[in-house]
């Protein structure tokens, strides 16, 4: 196995184009496990861990893009989860909550959102939050740069929309303009792979609600019908402005529609029936928490729920 | 505070704080919470485990394992593997050098390498030695094995069907003649009294079917060791194991070598819990080393480790309990079916335990118990902490709660009314002849104040930011802020035997030396005891200091240059090897006093005739404490060294029809109270507190004892809510990794307050009672009882999974039907 260590970003792109069989690696929390367990024998590893560009965390101001009225965070592909937790709680609360549930502190110090996207496992913790926020993936090759909407990124189980010569440079996530939440279910209270997960993001300025689901379909998915439904309920009752409670029947219907967006399977981690059930429960709770925060008029959409890191 | 040893029947023993010490001849003696010598190196990462072994010229061994659970082997072709550069040997069944080609703890039914048939997923088929582990792995992939898959046997119905494939044809083992079917390893009934008559008298009868999943020991240090050929046909084996001599007795016949040509030394062991009683890589590494003439190291990775050792027997248990109106048990019936998997391992002894302990720590006048273990194509199962008593305890304690509900009685009160005590009869009619404070232990955990109610339990204010998710079910996954969270409280108590049972000659050996080093007396203690984390090396030092009044004690590495210490299992090592060390120390002490009299008593001074001369704080002193002469001065250049076997009192086999017999050495008891919170919306559980009370006879090292109890408690919690090896209908293991075999993290581990009772057993050294296993028994049913109380669900199976705790649109299958 060759070990390729480009000195800069340009060389990395050149190597990527030359050696499409080389597997990109940064934190190694996924790739090394697969290699050590004999699950993967790549002809080469392309080590991106030393490239400064991938560790950059930039704040892009608001522009014309209506999908990002407060601007975006450009999150370098190798920025570890621990930085997402400690530095982005205010700007990307949903993603920060999701990052906090990843593995152990050691894993969070190495693993990154870019790695989660590269692996494209349906159980990746970041995906639901990226879907709920409307993120886009900055994919770069020697041919140029593409911005892939996250909705178009997941193609199948562990398959994504990257071309063989492309690398993930960053993920660009709209700054939150309203409360966001993330919940996942696992059979123990820490260090667990998601049985299923839900992220909800309120976008009050646009009158929209984003909902992402993890580990309950061959890919991470958005719950579009549920999004449309609840956006309609909120608009019809002028609830965004009046900040009245969401009628319980509407919250229940929303939860049913989120569950309906799943196509789960039975596996060692849980049954399909349980996943549907749990997704509905989490959808209702996370929507409720977001809405409570919106009603309280919280201008500071920091993630709620205690200590920043464990 | 009265000395517990004078009050063997005291209803309430003293509570021993963790820093409790007793007056002993030097610091660090029996009763002190002496620090363990391996503690700091283990925490800092400096401790050398067997997987750290290294030799400049070593090769790496690798095992090729069967991908099928049941298949005939038509042919094996190793030529492609042998042709790989860097490969030094590829061995199959045909390369085994001696007549004996099997091993096994109780029955030699396990092929060293499969010959014409594999019986479980992961069974070893071929071995490779190479310059590098990766070369060995790749070469193993090139071994061509022509398998023909066979139908799998996975349960009792399939194993005992008229046309069932017989997994071990032509059995000649000692159980073959009495089992009703050749796919039953062993069957043990225990019958007492007249169940039919008692049933007619019972005011209330409850029945239940229960299931226990396959738990893994999940020790952290994978199977590993190194075999070094001695150049003269013999071999030195360094290995992490639980019983050096039992390994040796199985290895030597397969290698065709006399036992003295194989020298075994214990390497650093990263946990065991029963999973290292059977052989793993021992013979394989020796075969490769003898074939290549080079040292061979073998280390399993985590996945292979799940295939490399036996697991806890999964079980199906059917119970009936009857009681009169006052809640006195009239009778009990039980049928306990244990899945032993493909090979016998210690299944017969596990059956004996499940049968003889299947009534629990209760007085039951009429009993009809049947326990058996099956041969199937599932993974082999054998020893794991609790050993047959764990499965039974989950069922009989679930039954006691069910019976209490049927009687409208408090579940603790029902248990107290039936609790055994000193003098009670077991269903085997063995008299429990030392303390059995079952009611007292229950009372201890019950009278503890409950942890304060938390805000969300009463629907109170949750604060704008919500509570810390780590305090709630779901933990860091942020699933609830208190919605649907309900508290439950549950109790359980259990009974476990200590030591090997059923007539086994369960001796240990210790060699104790006393000499002067650098002007100071130094004791050396040499045993073959496997230190697997239980703290035996700490306790041996404490015993030597106590008996010889010498502070400096050297614990020699465990090896086979001294006699067998028996297994580090069955809660027995402090009792048996501790007893052997004490016995040898007492003999050394006698020789020391004798030597002192000879050297210094010749002047006629009557003080030397004092029959109670003893060593104390480095000197020989009189009964009144008058210091006569230093021990170093007595010894001069002389060394006193004594090696002796030591035995606890004998046991006898259970009658094969009635189960009658004084089968056990000692009984131990623990009780738990669990307080849980369940998110009834998502089926997630947080154990808030898991209090334990246990009678330990005498705590030789209170800190270690508390550690053992807390560890056993957590292992029981794991079985209650998460730990299970999942085996498919094709008998293949589906979750051989720590990604999907989950063990509790610190966020799953509750506060574990421990109360120790010290009611001495007059038969045991220092009055001690084996500690390690009892807390693993009652922890599981206590947690499940608490979940039942919180949810109102019947819960017949462990581990309880989230999908068992919620109402699903599509009902989950796989649960036994509630009766």
């Amino acid at each position: 196995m060759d070990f390729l260590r480009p000195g800069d970003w340009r060389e990395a792109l050149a190597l990527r184009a030359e050696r499409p069989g080389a597997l990109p690696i940064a934190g190694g929390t996924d790739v090394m496990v697969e290699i050590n367990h004999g699950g993967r024998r790549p002809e080469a590893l392309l080590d991106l861990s030393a490239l400064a560009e991938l560790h950059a965390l930039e704040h892009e101001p608001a522009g014309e893009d209506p999908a990002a009225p407060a601007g975006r965070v450009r999150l370098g592909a190798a920025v570890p989860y621990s930085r997402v937790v400690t530095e982005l709680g205010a700007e990307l609360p949903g993603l920060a909550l999701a990052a906090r549930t990843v593995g152990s502190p050691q894993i969070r110090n190495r693993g990154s959102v870019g790695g989660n996207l590269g692996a494209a496992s349906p159980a990746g913790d970041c995906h639901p939050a990226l879907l709920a926020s409307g993120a886009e993936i900055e994919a770069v090759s020697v041919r140029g740069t593409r911005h892939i909407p996250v909705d178009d990124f997941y193609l199948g189980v562990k398959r994504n929309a990257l071309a063989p010569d492309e690398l993930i440079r960053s993920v660009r996530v709209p700054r939150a303009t309203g409360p966001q939440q993330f919940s996942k279910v696992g059979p123990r209270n820490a260090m667990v792979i998601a049985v299923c997960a839900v992220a909800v993001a309120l976008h009050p300025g646009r009158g929209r609600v984003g909902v992402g689901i993890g580990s309950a379909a061959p890919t991470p998915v958005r719950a579009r019908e549920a999004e449309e439904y609840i956006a309609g309920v909120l608009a019809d009752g002028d609830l965004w402005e009046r900040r009245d409670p969401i009628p319980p029947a509407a919250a229940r219907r929303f939860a049913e529609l989120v569950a309906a967006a799943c196509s789960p399977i039975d596996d060692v981690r849980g049954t399909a029936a349980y996943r549907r059930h749990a997704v509905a429960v989490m959808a209702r709770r996370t929507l409720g928490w977001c809405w409570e925060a919106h009603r309280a008029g919280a201008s500071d959409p920091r993630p709620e729920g205690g200590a920043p890191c464990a | 505070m009265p000395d517990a040893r004078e009050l063997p029947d005291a209803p309430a023993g003293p509570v021993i704080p963790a820093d409790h010490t007793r007056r002993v001849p030097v610091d660090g003696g029996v009763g002190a919470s002496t620090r363990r010598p391996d503690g700091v190196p283990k925490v800092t990462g400096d401790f050398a485990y067997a997987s750290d072994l290294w030799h400049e010229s070593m090769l790496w061994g690798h095992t090729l394992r069967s991908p099928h659970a049941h298949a005939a082997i038509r042919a094996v072709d190793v030529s492609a593997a042998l042709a790989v550069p860097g490969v030094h040997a590829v061995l199959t069944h045909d390369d085994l050098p001696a007549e004996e080609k099997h091993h096994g703890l109780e029955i030699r039914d396990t092929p060293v390498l499969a010959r014409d048939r594999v019986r479980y997923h992961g069974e070893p088929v071929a071995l490779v030695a190479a310059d590098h582990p990766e070369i060995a792995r790749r070469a193993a992939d090139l071994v061509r094995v022509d398998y023909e898959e066979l139908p799998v046997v996975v349960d009792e119905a399939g194993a005992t069907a008229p046309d069932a494939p017989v997994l071990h044809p032509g059995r000649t083992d000692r159980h073959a003649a009495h089992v009703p079917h050749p796919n039953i390893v062993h069957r043990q009934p225990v019958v007492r009294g007249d169940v039919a008559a008692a049933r007619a008298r019972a005011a209330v009868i409850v029945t239940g079917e229960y299931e226990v999943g396959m738990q893994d020991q999940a020790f952290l240090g994978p199977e590993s060791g190194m075999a070094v050929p001695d150049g003269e046909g013999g071999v030195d084996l360094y290995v992490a194991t639980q019983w050096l001599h039992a390994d040796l007795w199985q290895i030597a016949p397969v290698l065709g070598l006399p036992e003295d040509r194989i020298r075994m030394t214990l390497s650093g062991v990263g946990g065991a819990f029963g999973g290292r009683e059977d052989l793993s890589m021992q013979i394989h590494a020796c075969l490769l080393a003898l074939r290549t003439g080079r040292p061979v190291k073998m280390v399993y990775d985590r996945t292979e480790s799940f295939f490399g050792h036996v697991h806890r027997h999964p079980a199906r248990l059917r119970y009936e309990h009857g009681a009169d109106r006052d809640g006195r048990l009239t009778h009990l019936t039980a049928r306990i079916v244990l899945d032993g998997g493909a090979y016998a391992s210690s299944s017969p002894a596990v059956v004996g335990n499940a049968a003889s302990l299947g009534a629990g720590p209760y007085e039951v006048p009429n009993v009809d118990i049947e326990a058996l273990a099956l041969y199937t194509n599932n993974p082999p199962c054998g020893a794991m902490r609790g050993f047959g008593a764990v499965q039974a305890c989950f069922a009989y304690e679930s039954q006691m709660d069910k019976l209490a509900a049927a009687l409208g009685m408090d579940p603790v009160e029902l248990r107290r009314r039936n609790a055994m005590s000193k003098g009670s009869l077991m269903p085997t009619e063995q008299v429990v002849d030392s303390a059995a404070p079952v009611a007292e232990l229950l009372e201890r955990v019950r009278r503890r104040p409950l942890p304060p109610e938390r805000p969300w339990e009463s629907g109170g204010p949750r604060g704008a930011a919500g509570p810390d998710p780590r305090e709630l079910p779901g933990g860091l996954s942020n699933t609830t802020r208190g919605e649907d969270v309900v508290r439950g409280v549950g109790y359980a108590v259990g009974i476990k035997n200590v030591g090997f049972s059923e007539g086994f000659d369960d001796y240990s050996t210790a060699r104790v030396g006393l000499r002067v080093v650098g002007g100071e007396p130094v004791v050396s203690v040499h045993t073959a005891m496997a230190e697997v984390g239980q703290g035996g090396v700490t306790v041996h030092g404490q015993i030597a200091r106590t008996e010889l009044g010498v502070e400096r004690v050297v614990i020699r590495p465990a090896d086979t240059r001294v006699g067998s210490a028996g297994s580090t299992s069955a809660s027995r090592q402090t009792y048996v090897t501790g007893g052997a060390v004490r016995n040898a120390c007492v003999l050394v002490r006698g020789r020391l006093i004798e030597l002192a009299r000879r050297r210094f008593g010749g002047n006629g001074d009557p003080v030397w005739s004092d029959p109670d001369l003893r060593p104390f704080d480095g000197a020989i002193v009189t009964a009144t404490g008058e210091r006569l002469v230093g021990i170093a001065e007595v010894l001069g250049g002389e060394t006193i060294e004594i090696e002796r076997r030591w035995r606890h009192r004998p046991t006898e086999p259970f009658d094969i029809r009635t189960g009658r017999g004084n089968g056990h050495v000692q009984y131990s008891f623990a009780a738990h109270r669990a307080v849980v919170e369940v998110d009834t919306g998502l089926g997630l559980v947080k154990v808030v507190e898991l209090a334990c009370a246990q009678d330990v006879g005498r705590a030789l090292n209170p800190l270690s004892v508390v550690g053992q109890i807390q560890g056993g408690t957590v292992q029981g919690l794991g079985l209650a809510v998460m730990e299970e090896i999942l085996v498919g209908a094709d008998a293949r293991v589906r979750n051989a990794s720590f990604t999907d075999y989950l063990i509790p993290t610190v966020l799953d581990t509750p506060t574990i307050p421990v109360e120790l009772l010290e009611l001495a057993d007059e038969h045991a050294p220092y009055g001690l009672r084996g500690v390690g296993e009892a807390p693993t028994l009652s922890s599981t049913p206590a947690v499940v009882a608490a979940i039942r109380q919180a949810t109102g669900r019947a819960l017949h199976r462990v581990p309880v999974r989230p999908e068992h705790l919620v109402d699903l649109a599509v009902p989950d299958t796989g649960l036994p039907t509630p009766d």
Side-chain angles (χ1 to χ4, degrees):
Chain A
M1 190 189 304
D2 294 335
F3 187 70
L4 311 175
R5 189 143 217 236
D8 59 32
W9 180 237
R10 181 188 297 270
E11 190 187 347
L13 294 175
L15 282 168
R16 179 69 168 153
E18 252 170 61
R19 300 283 299 268
L23 184 64
I25 179 171
T29 56
D30 204 39
V31 169
M32 288 312 299
V33 172
E34 290 203 337
I35 290 175
N36 286 336
H37 283 201
R40 209 154 171 167
R41 287 272 179 273
E43 61 171 66
L45 287 177
L46 179 60
D47 176 22
L48 308 175
S49 60
L51 303 180
E53 286 87 344
L54 303 190
H55 289 276
L57 209 165
E58 296 157 77
H59 302 269
E60 300 179 344
E64 300 301 302
D65 184 356
R72 290 175 183 271
V73 174
R74 187 181 185 216
L75 182 64
V79 172
Y81 295 117
S82 53
R83 282 189 68 195
V84 176
V85 173
T86 54
E87 297 176 37
L88 296 175
E91 288 163 289
L92 309 179
L95 188 64
L97 279 168
R100 197 184 157 197
T101 73
V102 174
S104 60
Q106 294 91 329
I107 297 292
R108 292 195 289 272
N109 284 336
R110 296 284 302 178
S112 63
V113 179
N116 224 207
L117 287 162
S121 158
D125 288 317
C126 298
H127 310 315
L130 297 176
L131 286 163
S133 306
E136 56 183 48
I137 288 85
E138 184 183 354
V140 185
S141 71
V142 289
R143 297 175 289 119
T145 296
R146 287 200 293 160
H147 293 282
I148 308 172
V150 68
D151 290 339
D152 302 333
F153 188 74
Y154 310 110
L155 300 185
V157 177
K158 300 196 174 187
R159 285 197 301 119
N160 60 32
L162 289 180
D165 62 348
E166 282 179 324
L167 289 171
I168 299 171
R169 161 74 176 73
S170 76
V171 53
R172 297 169 66 242
V173 192
R175 292 185 63 177
T177 55
Q180 301 184 347
Q181 277 294 339
F182 173 84
S183 278
K184 86 175 184 190
V185 164
R188 73 178 169 195
N189 290 316
M191 282 183 66
V192 71
I193 293 190
V195 170
C196 51
V198 170
V200 169
L202 303 189
H203 307 292
R206 293 188 286 143
R208 293 202 47 82
V209 176
V211 183
I213 306 167
S215 222
T219 66
V221 289
R222 261 179 70 184
R224 289 179 194 276
E225 256 190 88
E227 291 178 358
E228 299 300 329
Y229 169 77
I230 199 68
V233 168
L234 297 174
D236 291 350
D238 195 21
L239 297 183
W240 289 109
E241 281 308 308
R242 295 172 51 181
R243 298 178 191 250
D244 285 348
I246 296 175
R252 269 200 301 278
R253 180 69 189 142
F254 168 77
E256 282 169 18
L257 289 170
V258 175
C262 303
S263 46
I265 56 167
D266 288 338
D267 66 15
V268 292
R269 292 175 194 151
T271 63
Y274 174 76
R275 287 185 158 108
R276 263 201 202 89
H277 168 90
V279 162
V281 171
M282 288 189 289
R284 193 167 167 199
R285 287 183 187 169
T286 49
L287 176 70
W289 300 338
C290 287
W291 193 251
E292 274 175 43
H294 175 71
R295 292 183 66 209
S299 53
D300 175 6
R302 267 187 309 192
E304 295 166 11
C309 199
Chain B
M1 188 186 292
D3 188 328
R5 284 170 300 175
E6 293 162 13
L7 296 167
D9 279 324
V15 177
I16 308 300
D19 61 354
H20 176 83
T21 55
R22 289 174 196 271
R23 203 154 53 84
V24 290
V26 285
D27 288 345
V30 164
S33 283
T34 312
R35 282 228 236 152
R36 47 188 313 150
D38 52 345
V40 170
K42 280 179 173 168
V43 170
T44 56
D46 289 333
F47 186 82
Y49 289 95
S51 51
D52 298 316
L53 288 162
W54 191 266
H55 193 291
E56 279 308 311
S57 61
M58 73 186 184
L59 302 173
W60 294 79
H62 182 77
T63 316
L64 177 69
R65 293 174 181 274
S66 167
H68 306 295
H70 197 196
I73 297 178
R74 296 290 174 226
V76 182
D77 179 359
V78 302
S79 52
L82 264 176
V84 174
V87 169
H88 293 258
V90 181
L91 304 181
T92 69
H93 183 91
D94 292 341
D95 299 298
L96 297 178
E99 202 55 31
E100 181 61 81
K101 298 176 198 303
H102 294 78
H103 62 86
L105 280 175
E106 296 189 35
I107 300 171
R108 292 199 179 181
D109 64 351
T110 311
V112 173
L113 292 168
R115 186 167 69 105
D116 52 5
R117 191 177 183 186
V118 286
R119 294 178 179 82
Y120 73 97
H121 177 205
E123 180 162 351
V125 175
L127 304 169
V128 180
D131 291 332
H132 189 277
E134 185 62 22
I135 295 174
R137 274 196 289 273
R138 291 186 186 195
D141 289 345
L142 299 174
V143 174
R144 285 188 42 199
V145 185
D146 182 6
Y147 292 104
E148 182 187 320
E149 280 196 75
L150 299 170
V152 290
V153 175
V154 296
D155 56 17
E156 185 185 13
T160 57
D163 58 343
V166 174
L167 291 176
H168 296 273
R171 281 175 59 184
T172 56
D173 60 82
R174 65 197 171 94
H175 304 293
H178 71 248
V179 292
H181 189 284
N183 283 339
I184 294 175
V185 186
H186 174 44
R187 174 179 174 275
Q188 177 67 61
V190 175
V191 290
R192 180 182 177 215
D194 183 344
V195 164
R199 184 182 281 135
R201 283 198 309 275
V204 177
I205 291 175
V206 293
T207 60
E209 289 196 30
Y210 303 93
E211 193 178 332
V212 176
M214 186 187 292
Q215 190 179 20
D216 188 66
Q217 297 82 356
F219 46 69
L220 293 185
E223 292 82 349
S224 41
M226 178 154 59
V228 184
D230 65 9
E232 296 166 4
V235 65
D236 287 86
L237 179 62
Y238 303 83
V239 69
T241 183
Q242 272 181 261
W243 184 358
L244 287 165
H245 285 80
D247 287 5
L248 177 64
W249 298 330
Q250 295 171 82
I251 296 167
V254 174
L255 298 183
L257 290 173
E259 283 166 12
D260 61 5
R261 306 280 299 278
I262 305 162
R263 290 155 302 270
M264 293 186 62
T265 305
L266 188 74
S267 284
V269 184
F273 313 106
R276 295 187 209 269
E277 282 196 28
D278 293 81
L279 293 180
S280 57
M281 45 57 66
Q282 285 90 329
I283 296 176
H284 296 164
C286 290
L287 288 168
L288 291 169
L290 290 170
R291 171 62 73 99
T292 60
R294 302 263 295 268
V296 172
K297 173 174 176 169
M298 293 185 84
V299 184
Y300 294 174
D301 67 16
R302 181 59 59 196
T303 300
E304 186 172 18
S305 178
F306 275 96
F307 296 99
H309 61 260
V310 301
H311 317 290
R312 187 191 300 293
H313 289 74
R316 287 176 182 268
L317 311 96
R318 191 172 69 222
Y319 268 76
E320 172 184 315
H321 279 72
D324 64 19
R325 290 259 166 252
D326 298 329
R328 306 264 172 215
L329 289 171
T330 52
H331 72 283
L332 167 161
T333 71
R335 186 159 190 281
I336 301 171
V337 179
L338 303 151
D339 185 349
Y343 295 102
S345 179
S346 44
S347 281
V350 171
V351 167
N353 262 17
S356 59
L357 304 170
Y362 303 110
E363 290 192 339
V364 198
N366 303 287
V367 171
D368 186 350
I369 296 173
E370 175 193 23
L372 58 88
L374 303 169
Y375 275 128
T376 67
N377 293 116
N378 289 323
C381 289
M384 182 175 171
R385 194 178 200 172
F387 203 80
V390 161
Q391 295 91 333
C393 187
F394 171 62
Y396 62 68
E397 285 301 87
S398 297
Q399 282 284 99
M400 290 303 273
D401 285 342
K402 204 171 189 175
L403 186 60
L407 286 160
M409 190 179 282
D410 174 76
V412 174
E413 181 54 31
L414 174 69
R415 287 173 169 86
R416 284 173 51 95
R417 285 190 189 180
N418 294 287
M420 62 169 48
S421 53
K422 184 175 178 180
S424 294
L425 276 188
M426 295 293 289
T428 58
E429 305 205 330
Q430 181 168 23
V431 179
V432 178
D433 63 358
S434 69
V438 176
E440 168 70 13
L441 294 170
L442 283 162
E443 196 50 40
R444 292 263 175 162
V445 290
R446 173 157 67 177
R447 73 179 176 217
R448 295 187 63 81
L450 283 163
E453 192 172 76
R454 308 196 300 169
W456 47 86
E457 291 177 14
S458 49
R462 291 172 195 152
D468 185 330
R470 291 173 297 185
E471 298 294 319
L472 283 154
L476 280 178
S477 297
N478 190 40
T479 45
T480 181
R481 293 179 176 181
E483 294 94 334
D484 304 323
V485 175
V486 182
R487 173 184 277 203
V489 179
Y491 293 86
V493 60
I495 176 170
K496 177 70 185 61
N497 59 321
V498 172
F500 279 31
S501 302
E502 300 187 53
F504 191 87
D505 183 15
D506 189 27
Y507 68 89
S508 181
T509 317
R511 185 188 298 155
V512 172
L514 181 61
R515 61 178 64 79
V516 177
V517 178
E520 273 185 77
V522 177
V523 183
S524 65
V525 178
H526 189 182
T527 74
M529 176 202 68
E531 172 62 52
V532 306
Q534 82 276 22
V537 291
T538 322
V539 163
H540 291 178
Q542 293 178 261
I543 292 172
R545 287 185 203 103
T546 301
E547 301 302 335
L548 291 168
V550 168
E551 193 163 349
R552 284 182 58 195
V553 182
V554 175
I555 307 296
R556 299 249 177 258
D559 57 34
T560 52
R561 289 165 178 84
V562 60
S564 171
S567 181
T568 301
S569 60
S571 309
R572 68 179 281 287
Q573 276 301 23
T574 303
Y575 190 136
V576 190
T577 300
V581 170
R582 183 172 81 154
N583 179 56
C585 285
V586 168
L587 294 172
V588 167
R589 185 173 70 200
R591 293 261 290 273
L592 175 68
I593 302 293
E594 196 183 301
L595 185 65
R597 284 204 177 98
R598 207 163 64 228
R599 290 206 169 150
F600 298 92
N603 57 8
D605 185 343
V607 75
W608 288 101
S609 320
D610 181 345
D612 293 324
L613 292 182
R614 64 200 163 99
F616 185 93
D617 197 13
I620 307 295
V621 302
T622 64
T624 55
E626 185 195 345
R627 192 181 158 97
L628 299 180
V629 60
I631 291 173
E633 214 178 322
V634 173
L635 287 167
E638 195 152 331
T639 293
I640 302 172
E641 187 169 81
I642 291 176
E643 177 179 334
R644 281 286 188 286
R645 282 188 186 183
W646 187 82
R647 287 177 168 82
H648 55 65
R649 53 190 176 141
T651 59
E652 51 191 47
F654 297 124
D655 181 273
I656 199 56
R657 286 170 299 107
T658 64
R660 208 153 297 153
N662 292 325
H664 295 308
V665 183
Q666 187 188 51
Y667 295 101
S668 67
F669 305 89
H672 279 92
R673 182 188 70 194
V675 180
V676 307
E677 285 179 354
V678 182
D679 175 346
T680 54
L682 289 170
L684 301 177
V685 176
K686 168 96 178 169
V687 182
V688 176
E689 188 195 87
L690 196 41
C692 183
Q694 182 168 343
D695 173 28
V696 301
R698 169 103 189 251
L700 267 57
N701 186 316
L703 185 60
S704 281
V705 164
V706 170
Q708 279 275 13
I709 292 171
Q710 292 182 327
T713 297
V714 175
Q715 214 152 14
L717 181 160
L719 177 60
V721 295
M722 64 181 83
E723 293 192 39
E724 183 175 11
I725 292 185
L726 299 168
V727 181
D730 57 1
R732 286 190 174 92
V733 175
R734 301 171 67 206
N735 59 337
S737 75
F738 278 164
T739 305
D740 286 312
Y741 183 90
L742 299 181
I743 55 177
T745 69
V746 71
L747 273 191
D748 302 283
T749 304
T751 311
I752 306 175
V754 174
E755 289 197 42
L756 301 183
L757 280 174
E758 291 190 285
L759 308 180
D761 178 354
E762 61 180 291
H763 309 287
Y766 305 108
L768 73 84
R769 199 173 289 286
V771 171
E773 292 172 288
T776 314
L777 273 57
S778 42
S779 168
T780 307
V783 169
V784 176
I787 300 173
R788 281 192 197 106
Q789 203 209 36
T791 61
R793 287 171 190 273
L795 303 178
H796 295 256
R797 185 184 201 282
V798 284
V800 176
R801 297 170 64 97
E803 55 262 39
H804 302 158
L805 297 177
V806 295
D807 289 315
L808 298 176
V810 183
D812 189 35
T813 52
L815 274 170
T817 317
D819 56 283

